[in-house]
Amino acid sequence: MPYTLLRENIDKHIQFSDAEFETYSSFFYPKTISKKEYLLRQGDICRFEGFVTKGCFRVYTIDNDGNENVLYFAVEDWWVTDIDSFTNQAPALLSIQSLEDSEVLLINKKDKEQLYQQMPKVEKLFRIMTQKTLVSLQRRLIRNHCYTADERYLHFIKTYPKIAQKLTNLQIAAYLGISHEFVSKIRKKIASKK
Amino acid sequence: MPYTLLRENIDKHIQFSDAEFETYSSFFYPKTISKKEYLLRQGDICRFEGFVTKGCFRVYTIDNDGNENVLYFAVEDWWVTDIDSFTNQAPALLSIQSLEDSEVLLINKKDKEQLYQQMPKVEKLFRIMTQKTLVSLQRRLIRNHCYTADERYLHFIKTYPKIAQKLTNLQIAAYLGISHEFVSKIRKKIASKK
DNA sequence: CGCAGTTATTGAACTAGTTCAATGTTTTTA
DNA sequence: TAAAAACATTGAACTAGTTCAATAACTGCG
């Protein structure tokens, strides 16, 4: 089942034969993560790229003032890693923690390099996936500039209703870059409009 | 000279033999853009990826309220495109305008595809470049959340002093996501502290 | 079950940043 | 070189969002 998800993930971006997928998937190994466990801690070196097959993660960083800042939440079919740390084997700026019992498929650095070498098509796959991620991040940056907090909140729960359900106000606030009290106030405002 | 810059650009990311670079660079053609001319207009389809060899561009979007939002400025050694529009040949959300007389090396969609096919190494090159862009955008997103406008302004002029020199307050404001009046006030504050 | 810890709500006081409008400055262009 | 246009500065009034503090509601756990 986890590998079925991995297959479906690829099919969204590129065509792989069964044999190609076989090779590709053989580089990944499953890992079970219990609730609140860390896949990666800020400061450590990120040894993996992970594909989420079950559960939910928050990918975040703590700034100098101790504020938590969520870069994104990852559920089934999302990838989790600190690319910078993984690529350069340098200390991570990001932490990755599960919000519930979860499962991932992991690939480590050496195997990733070997996979690139053995299957050049994987370069294309990750080039395409990274591009798509970049586009959505560009759009989010723009939204952050031109939307109000209310609009950003609404956009988030509309775009990711399933993820939003799993989250506390605190977590949503850390993603939107606002205070959790203000999330409360936004909710109240919305409720009273209906 | 423009092609020397392209060579130096590649050398930062990957190793190319002279022959490989020869092939690679033969896919690009130079274009001269005079001040305030558009390389791409929001709504049009982006037919190129461009490597800036001279001058300066702003890559921006206009939101529903008519506010201009600068995604980034591109000078020598930067790439300009609307990836989403280029990849999917769909209407662009972004406009790309030169701020001064400029020069770019362009590659169009078909040639890019042919290049990928002919030189799989180019997949790796663009995978790596896209990853680096993604990392810097992730960091910018986080900065936008945890820095004040003053801090973001200072970070910007410190990180890109050469670019900042070329820009008006209006343009810097559109990049930082604040009003240009506030940029003025920040400048005054900083000046008075010295 | 009951209690501890975390999360949510609310209000009051505050502040970072906006908006508007007026004035001054620089740049562009005829 | 003058006039027009674009850009920058400044202050006053405003507002979106914060911070703090107090209370209420949930959640998990022994």
Side-chain angles (χ1 to χ4, degrees), chain A residues 58-71:
Chain A
R58 63 198 239 272
V59 180
Y60 70 98
T61 188
I62 306 266
D63 67 30
N64 300 330
D65 302 337
N67 297 315
E68 182 184 308
N69 210 285
V70 171
L71 197 57

Side-chain angles (χ1 to χ4, degrees), chain A residues 16-70:
Chain A
F16 265 25
S17 69
D18 288 351
E20 283 171 331
F21 177 71
E22 204 52 45
T23 308
Y24 177 77
S25 64
S26 72
F27 280 84
F28 290 83
Y29 59 96
K31 185 169 181 180
T32 302
I33 312 283
S34 49
K35 185 171 178 171
K36 294 199 179 171
E37 208 179 310
Y38 281 85
L39 256 183
L40 175 67
R41 280 172 197 273
Q42 196 162 353
D44 290 356
I45 288 168
C46 182
R47 311 271 176 205
F48 62 86
E49 278 187 65
F51 176 73
V52 181
T53 54
K54 191 176 151 231
C56 185
F57 293 85
R58 63 198 239 272
V59 180
Y60 70 98
T61 188
I62 306 266
D63 67 30
N64 300 330
D65 302 337
N67 297 315
E68 182 184 308
N69 210 285
V70 171

Side-chain angles (χ1 to χ4, degrees), chain B:
Chain B
M1 180 61 185
Y3 287 93
T4 311
L5 284 169
L6 189 62
R7 171 90 223 203
E8 286 166 8
N9 176 255
I10 283 167
D11 290 346
K12 286 181 195 164
H13 308 297
I14 201 170
Q15 284 214 326
F16 266 25
S17 70
D18 289 350
E20 283 171 330
F21 177 71
E22 204 53 46
T23 310
Y24 176 76
S25 64
S26 71
F27 280 83
F28 291 83
Y29 58 95
K31 186 170 181 181
T32 302
I33 312 284
S34 48
K35 186 171 178 171
K36 293 198 179 172
E37 207 179 311
Y38 281 85
L39 255 183
L40 175 67
R41 279 171 198 275
Q42 197 162 353
D44 290 356
I45 288 168
C46 181
R47 310 270 178 206
F48 63 86
E49 278 187 65
F51 176 73
V52 181
T53 54
K54 191 174 153 231
C56 185
F57 293 85
R58 64 198 238 273
V59 180
Y60 70 98
T61 188
I62 305 266
D63 67 29
N64 300 330
D65 302 336
N67 298 316
E68 182 184 310
N69 211 283
V70 172
L71 197 57
Y72 62 96
F73 300 102
V75 292
E76 268 185 34
D77 193 43
W78 288 62
W79 290 83
V80 281
T81 187
D82 180 324
I83 319 172
D84 191 42
S85 171
F86 179 74
T87 308
N88 306 310
Q89 295 288 287
L93 283 186
L94 304 177
S95 292
I96 305 178
Q97 189 195 26
S98 70
L99 299 177
E100 54 190 64
D101 291 349
S102 303
E103 287 168 29
V104 283
L105 293 173
L106 297 179
I107 183 169
N108 65 35
K109 177 82 174 146
K110 267 188 190 154
D111 287 343
K112 184 83 190 285
E113 268 161 18
Q114 156 103 56
L115 178 57
Y116 279 140
Q117 210 163 14
Q118 197 171 321
M119 282 186 71
K121 217 172 172 177
V122 174
E123 289 281 5
K124 184 183 274 284
L125 171 65
F126 277 81
R127 197 247 316 147
I128 291 172
M129 290 198 300
T130 310
Q131 275 185 5
K132 289 183 184 175
T133 309
L134 182 61
V135 168
S136 65
L137 203 63
Q138 284 181 349
R139 298 205 173 149
R140 184 166 159 211
L141 193 88
I142 289 167
R143 276 198 305 278
N144 283 350
H145 282 177
C146 63
Y147 282 20
T148 63
D150 301 36
E151 290 167 333
R152 266 145 59 211
Y153 174 80
L154 283 170
H155 180 273
F156 178 67
I157 58 164
K158 204 169 174 178
T159 311
Y160 307 108
K162 280 186 196 165
I163 301 181
Q165 270 177 3
K166 302 182 182 218
L167 305 174
T168 66
N169 283 5
L170 274 153
Q171 285 156 353
I172 295 178
Y175 175 87
L176 296 175
I178 59 180
S179 69
H180 70 279
E181 292 96 333
F182 199 62
V183 172
S184 254
K185 286 164 195 176
I186 291 171
R187 281 191 147 144
K188 195 187 174 188
K189 215 187 297 179
I190 292 166
S192 74
K193 273 187 189 164
K194 283 183 184 169

Side-chain angles (χ1 to χ4, degrees), chain A residues 3 17 25 28 34 38 40 45 47 55-56 59-60 74 92 111 113 123-124 128 145 150 164 170 173 178 189 193:
Chain A
Y3 288 92
S17 69
S25 64
F28 290 83
S34 49
Y38 281 85
L40 175 67
I45 288 168
R47 311 271 176 205
C56 185
V59 180
Y60 70 98
D111 287 343
E113 268 160 19
E123 289 280 5
K124 183 182 276 284
I128 291 171
H145 282 177
D150 300 37
L170 275 152
I178 59 180
K189 215 188 298 178
K193 273 188 190 164

Side-chain angles (χ1 to χ4, degrees), chain A residues 118-136:
Chain A
Q118 197 172 322
M119 281 186 73
K121 218 172 172 177
V122 175
E123 289 280 5
K124 183 182 276 284
L125 172 64
F126 277 81
R127 198 251 311 153
I128 291 171
M129 291 198 301
T130 309
Q131 276 185 3
K132 288 182 183 175
T133 309
L134 183 60
V135 167
S136 65

